[in-house]
Every structure is written in structure tokens, then in C-alpha cells.
Amino acid sequence: MLVALAVLVFLFRGRIHFDWAMFWQQLRYVSLWHIVAAMILIYATFWLRAIRWAVFVSPTKKVSSVSLVGSQFIGFTAVALFGRLADLTRPYLVAKRVELPLSSQVAVYTIERMFDLGATAVIFSSALAFTPKGLPHHEVFVRAGILSMGLTVGIAVFAGIVRVAGGAVTTFARGTVGVLSKAAGESIATKIVGFRDGLNALSSMRDFGVVVLLSLTMWLMIGSAYVQTVHAFVHTPELSTLTFSRTMLLMAASIGGSLLQLPVIGWFTQIAVTATAMHTFYGAPIESATACGAMLLLVTFLCIIPAGLVYSQIEHVSLKKVAQESGAAMTPGEVPDIG
């Protein structure tokens, strides 16, 4: 990882003055207690993901959340190693473990992502909209908070429409987008169908409330992991004194940088995105920002690989094989058989 990072810095050495001595010094004096705390928070979120998935599945089949923990670690490890093309590994593994159709677990995956988006939007909007006026780039924080709140409301309205008239929305999407691209129309229709069926999986207001609480708790823990990681850079005041609310822009940048995650290469683009955000929004030196970006990648994305490899051995799963099988089982544009 550091070798590839060095190559990137070398290529852009004419535009950015990079002090390697400072970079290594920042990594050398990082607070391990903060890093360990951040990793514990990240690991705990995978247990919450397993509990939430069990709640989604419960109307169809009662399963133990403990039995789903391995699928979460293996699935995210596959994404870390093979990129977003392996995103369907988790629903594929869960479907095999609980003996349910893959289409039903893809529906769970779709609704899971929507709850993630809603939870992050609520947390972003609540944290960013109320940042102190004296902070640098205050207007950027406020705008991000307002946009996040608008996104939250939009998600809620969309969810209500899909729940009530999902078939009509699917037909409309297929007919309009399909005029430009049949494959794109089918792909969007597939996601809407999955979202609708995922909403239908929440058979009671109690289940809905539990899922909302789990989602908010999980993303608060992820946000806290970001705070712990930046606070680990004790010799960089611009990072070590960041509040939770100010860290939200960094978290948003990191999530955006991971959306198009490519195998291995995506690690370095994510470091570049988060380093740029820290340098721009917080005024952190580029060396400190880059070191922190690399540590954020390790803490929030790569630290689960050892657990994923252990679980893959315990459950006799080949990561490469299961990533290929999950992609082949649900090709882009295919509408799953929801029956």
C-alpha cells in the first residue's frame, strides 16, 4: 500500500511538495489507543449488521444473528480485495446459509443500503447544520447539512410511494429509462422491486423501529471511529481537535470515494480523496492528511480482512470463487424472481 502511495506522490511531485520525513513521523507517533478504539467500533458494527439482517429475514424465517456474522465479514472482505463487483457476496452467502432464494436476500441488501443512506443523511444533517458559526468553511458545513436533510426527506417520500405503489413505480421507471437504455431501465426496475420487497419484509412497526435504531447506532459508531482515527494524530492540531460534527464532511468524502471501489487501485483513490478533504476543509498539512487518509482506509475498510479470512476458513469459503459466483448469479439488468 505504501509503495503505491509513494508512486502517486512521485508522479505529482511537481505540483505538491511532499515531505516524506514528516509523513513517516506522523505515522510513527500515531496514538495506538485511538486506533484500537476505532477498530473496535468498526468490528462492532458488523455484529449490528448481522442483527439487522436477521430482523429483515425474520418474517420469512427465524435465524440467529450470530450465524450471519461470518457472512458479513466475508462479504466486506471480498469487496475490500476485489472491489464493488463483489458487493453481492453477502446476500449470496446469507441465501446459502439460511436456505432462502437469492432474490429475497438481494432485496434485503437493497433495503439495507437505503437504511444506511437514510441513517447517514440524518446524522450528517443533524451534525453539520448546527456547527458553530466561527468555524472555517462554516457555509460548506451548513449546505452539506441542508442537502443531507433534504435527501433524508426525499428518501422517506420515495419509500412511502414505493411501499404503496411499487408496481406502478417499477413500470414507470422501466418505460421511461428503458427508452434510452433497456439495460438501465431493467437495472433500475430491479432495484425498485428489491426496495419494495425489502420494505414489505418489515412486517411491523416494531421491526421498523428496531432497524432504524440499529442503523443510526451503527453509523454513529462509524462516525465515532472516524473521530478516533483523526484524533490519533496527536501532533497535528488540525486533526487531533476535530469535533464529531466537523468530521462528518470527511466521512462523507470517504464514503463518496469508496462508491466506485476498484480492486487495490481504489484504496489509493480513497486515500487521495480523504487527504484532499482534510487538507482543504481543515487546513491539515498534506503529509499529515495523507497519513491520516491511509490510516482511515486501514481502520474503516481493510482491518476486517483478517476476520474475513478466518471466517472463510471456518466456513470453508473461497473468497475469489464466491465473489465470482455471486456476480454470475445476479447479472446486471436481471429482474430477480420475487415469488
Side-chain angles (χ1 to χ4, degrees), residues 171-186 188:
T171 302
F172 176 79
R174 185 180 287 116
T176 53
V177 180
V179 173
L180 301 176
S181 170
K182 185 177 180 180
E186 291 298 327
I188 292 175

PDB file of all heavy atoms in Angstrom, residues 171-186 188:
ATOM      1  N   THR A 171     -42.969   0.002 -13.245  1.00  0.00           N
ATOM      2  CA  THR A 171     -43.391   0.092 -14.649  1.00  0.00           C
ATOM      3  C   THR A 171     -43.006   1.433 -15.261  1.00  0.00           C
ATOM      4  O   THR A 171     -42.538   1.503 -16.404  1.00  0.00           O
ATOM      5  CB  THR A 171     -44.913  -0.109 -14.757  1.00  0.00           C
ATOM      6  OG1 THR A 171     -45.260  -1.379 -14.199  1.00  0.00           O
ATOM      7  CG2 THR A 171     -45.364  -0.051 -16.207  1.00  0.00           C
ATOM      8  N   PHE A 172     -43.185   2.509 -14.485  1.00  0.00           N
ATOM      9  CA  PHE A 172     -42.837   3.846 -14.963  1.00  0.00           C
ATOM     10  C   PHE A 172     -41.335   3.956 -15.232  1.00  0.00           C
ATOM     11  O   PHE A 172     -40.915   4.471 -16.277  1.00  0.00           O
ATOM     12  CB  PHE A 172     -43.258   4.896 -13.934  1.00  0.00           C
ATOM     13  CG  PHE A 172     -42.856   6.299 -14.289  1.00  0.00           C
ATOM     14  CD1 PHE A 172     -43.585   7.024 -15.218  1.00  0.00           C
ATOM     15  CD2 PHE A 172     -41.747   6.899 -13.698  1.00  0.00           C
ATOM     16  CE1 PHE A 172     -43.211   8.321 -15.554  1.00  0.00           C
ATOM     17  CE2 PHE A 172     -41.366   8.183 -14.023  1.00  0.00           C
ATOM     18  CZ  PHE A 172     -42.099   8.893 -14.961  1.00  0.00           C
ATOM     19  N   ALA A 173     -40.514   3.452 -14.299  1.00  0.00           N
ATOM     20  CA  ALA A 173     -39.065   3.510 -14.462  1.00  0.00           C
ATOM     21  C   ALA A 173     -38.612   2.700 -15.665  1.00  0.00           C
ATOM     22  O   ALA A 173     -37.766   3.134 -16.455  1.00  0.00           O
ATOM     23  CB  ALA A 173     -38.369   3.004 -13.197  1.00  0.00           C
ATOM     24  N   ARG A 174     -39.185   1.512 -15.812  1.00  0.00           N
ATOM     25  CA  ARG A 174     -38.806   0.653 -16.940  1.00  0.00           C
ATOM     26  C   ARG A 174     -39.199   1.307 -18.273  1.00  0.00           C
ATOM     27  O   ARG A 174     -38.469   1.223 -19.269  1.00  0.00           O
ATOM     28  CB  ARG A 174     -39.463  -0.717 -16.802  1.00  0.00           C
ATOM     29  CG  ARG A 174     -39.028  -1.716 -17.868  1.00  0.00           C
ATOM     30  CD  ARG A 174     -39.716  -3.066 -17.697  1.00  0.00           C
ATOM     31  NE  ARG A 174     -39.186  -3.811 -16.563  1.00  0.00           N
ATOM     32  CZ  ARG A 174     -39.894  -4.135 -15.486  1.00  0.00           C
ATOM     33  NH1 ARG A 174     -41.166  -3.772 -15.399  1.00  0.00           N
ATOM     34  NH2 ARG A 174     -39.343  -4.827 -14.509  1.00  0.00           N
ATOM     35  N   GLY A 175     -40.367   1.963 -18.287  1.00  0.00           N
ATOM     36  CA  GLY A 175     -40.849   2.567 -19.532  1.00  0.00           C
ATOM     37  C   GLY A 175     -40.115   3.833 -19.918  1.00  0.00           C
ATOM     38  O   GLY A 175     -39.881   4.077 -21.106  1.00  0.00           O
ATOM     39  N   THR A 176     -39.737   4.651 -18.922  1.00  0.00           N
ATOM     40  CA  THR A 176     -39.082   5.928 -19.238  1.00  0.00           C
ATOM     41  C   THR A 176     -37.580   5.759 -19.484  1.00  0.00           C
ATOM     42  O   THR A 176     -37.064   6.127 -20.535  1.00  0.00           O
ATOM     43  CB  THR A 176     -39.305   6.939 -18.100  1.00  0.00           C
ATOM     44  OG1 THR A 176     -38.910   6.343 -16.856  1.00  0.00           O
ATOM     45  CG2 THR A 176     -40.770   7.340 -18.018  1.00  0.00           C
ATOM     46  N   VAL A 177     -36.901   5.192 -18.515  1.00  0.00           N
ATOM     47  CA  VAL A 177     -35.456   4.995 -18.657  1.00  0.00           C
ATOM     48  C   VAL A 177     -35.168   3.974 -19.752  1.00  0.00           C
ATOM     49  O   VAL A 177     -34.169   4.080 -20.476  1.00  0.00           O
ATOM     50  CB  VAL A 177     -34.823   4.533 -17.328  1.00  0.00           C
ATOM     51  CG1 VAL A 177     -33.319   4.327 -17.486  1.00  0.00           C
ATOM     52  CG2 VAL A 177     -35.101   5.539 -16.223  1.00  0.00           C
ATOM     53  N   GLY A 178     -36.050   2.981 -19.903  1.00  0.00           N
ATOM     54  CA  GLY A 178     -35.856   1.949 -20.909  1.00  0.00           C
ATOM     55  C   GLY A 178     -35.855   2.481 -22.327  1.00  0.00           C
ATOM     56  O   GLY A 178     -35.314   1.845 -23.237  1.00  0.00           O
ATOM     57  N   VAL A 179     -36.459   3.651 -22.547  1.00  0.00           N
ATOM     58  CA  VAL A 179     -36.449   4.263 -23.879  1.00  0.00           C
ATOM     59  C   VAL A 179     -35.019   4.617 -24.278  1.00  0.00           C
ATOM     60  O   VAL A 179     -34.614   4.465 -25.432  1.00  0.00           O
ATOM     61  CB  VAL A 179     -37.336   5.523 -23.894  1.00  0.00           C
ATOM     62  CG1 VAL A 179     -37.195   6.266 -25.215  1.00  0.00           C
ATOM     63  CG2 VAL A 179     -38.796   5.144 -23.665  1.00  0.00           C
ATOM     64  N   LEU A 180     -34.242   5.094 -23.313  1.00  0.00           N
ATOM     65  CA  LEU A 180     -32.851   5.459 -23.576  1.00  0.00           C
ATOM     66  C   LEU A 180     -31.926   4.250 -23.542  1.00  0.00           C
ATOM     67  O   LEU A 180     -31.023   4.130 -24.373  1.00  0.00           O
ATOM     68  CB  LEU A 180     -32.383   6.491 -22.543  1.00  0.00           C
ATOM     69  CG  LEU A 180     -33.175   7.803 -22.501  1.00  0.00           C
ATOM     70  CD1 LEU A 180     -32.678   8.681 -21.367  1.00  0.00           C
ATOM     71  CD2 LEU A 180     -33.062   8.541 -23.830  1.00  0.00           C
ATOM     72  N   SER A 181     -32.169   3.369 -22.573  1.00  0.00           N
ATOM     73  CA  SER A 181     -31.332   2.168 -22.429  1.00  0.00           C
ATOM     74  C   SER A 181     -32.160   1.080 -21.764  1.00  0.00           C
ATOM     75  O   SER A 181     -32.566   1.228 -20.610  1.00  0.00           O
ATOM     76  CB  SER A 181     -30.090   2.486 -21.588  1.00  0.00           C
ATOM     77  OG  SER A 181     -29.398   1.287 -21.263  1.00  0.00           O
ATOM     78  N   LYS A 182     -32.398   0.013 -22.492  1.00  0.00           N
ATOM     79  CA  LYS A 182     -33.201  -1.085 -21.947  1.00  0.00           C
ATOM     80  C   LYS A 182     -32.519  -1.705 -20.736  1.00  0.00           C
ATOM     81  O   LYS A 182     -33.170  -2.016 -19.734  1.00  0.00           O
ATOM     82  CB  LYS A 182     -33.423  -2.155 -23.024  1.00  0.00           C
ATOM     83  CG  LYS A 182     -34.345  -3.277 -22.570  1.00  0.00           C
ATOM     84  CD  LYS A 182     -34.602  -4.267 -23.690  1.00  0.00           C
ATOM     85  CE  LYS A 182     -35.530  -5.392 -23.205  1.00  0.00           C
ATOM     86  NZ  LYS A 182     -35.807  -6.373 -24.287  1.00  0.00           N
ATOM     87  N   ALA A 183     -31.200  -1.877 -20.801  1.00  0.00           N
ATOM     88  CA  ALA A 183     -30.461  -2.463 -19.694  1.00  0.00           C
ATOM     89  C   ALA A 183     -30.554  -1.590 -18.451  1.00  0.00           C
ATOM     90  O   ALA A 183     -30.755  -2.084 -17.336  1.00  0.00           O
ATOM     91  CB  ALA A 183     -29.002  -2.675 -20.079  1.00  0.00           C
ATOM     92  N   ALA A 184     -30.413  -0.266 -18.635  1.00  0.00           N
ATOM     93  CA  ALA A 184     -30.505   0.652 -17.500  1.00  0.00           C
ATOM     94  C   ALA A 184     -31.910   0.642 -16.913  1.00  0.00           C
ATOM     95  O   ALA A 184     -32.085   0.678 -15.688  1.00  0.00           O
ATOM     96  CB  ALA A 184     -30.126   2.068 -17.934  1.00  0.00           C
ATOM     97  N   GLY A 185     -32.918   0.601 -17.776  1.00  0.00           N
ATOM     98  CA  GLY A 185     -34.301   0.542 -17.305  1.00  0.00           C
ATOM     99  C   GLY A 185     -34.572  -0.689 -16.474  1.00  0.00           C
ATOM    100  O   GLY A 185     -35.208  -0.627 -15.422  1.00  0.00           O
ATOM    101  N   GLU A 186     -34.077  -1.846 -16.940  1.00  0.00           N
ATOM    102  CA  GLU A 186     -34.259  -3.094 -16.191  1.00  0.00           C
ATOM    103  C   GLU A 186     -33.493  -3.075 -14.876  1.00  0.00           C
ATOM    104  O   GLU A 186     -33.960  -3.591 -13.853  1.00  0.00           O
ATOM    105  CB  GLU A 186     -33.807  -4.289 -17.044  1.00  0.00           C
ATOM    106  CG  GLU A 186     -34.708  -4.591 -18.241  1.00  0.00           C
ATOM    107  CD  GLU A 186     -36.117  -4.969 -17.798  1.00  0.00           C
ATOM    108  OE1 GLU A 186     -36.262  -5.575 -16.724  1.00  0.00           O
ATOM    109  OE2 GLU A 186     -37.075  -4.658 -18.518  1.00  0.00           O
ATOM    110  N   ILE A 188     -32.721  -0.399 -13.019  1.00  0.00           N
ATOM    111  CA  ILE A 188     -33.431   0.462 -12.070  1.00  0.00           C
ATOM    112  C   ILE A 188     -34.700  -0.227 -11.573  1.00  0.00           C
ATOM    113  O   ILE A 188     -35.029  -0.173 -10.378  1.00  0.00           O
ATOM    114  CB  ILE A 188     -33.761   1.812 -12.725  1.00  0.00           C
ATOM    115  CG1 ILE A 188     -32.469   2.591 -12.989  1.00  0.00           C
ATOM    116  CG2 ILE A 188     -34.700   2.629 -11.843  1.00  0.00           C
ATOM    117  CD1 ILE A 188     -32.664   3.878 -13.742  1.00  0.00           C
TER     118      ILE A 188
END
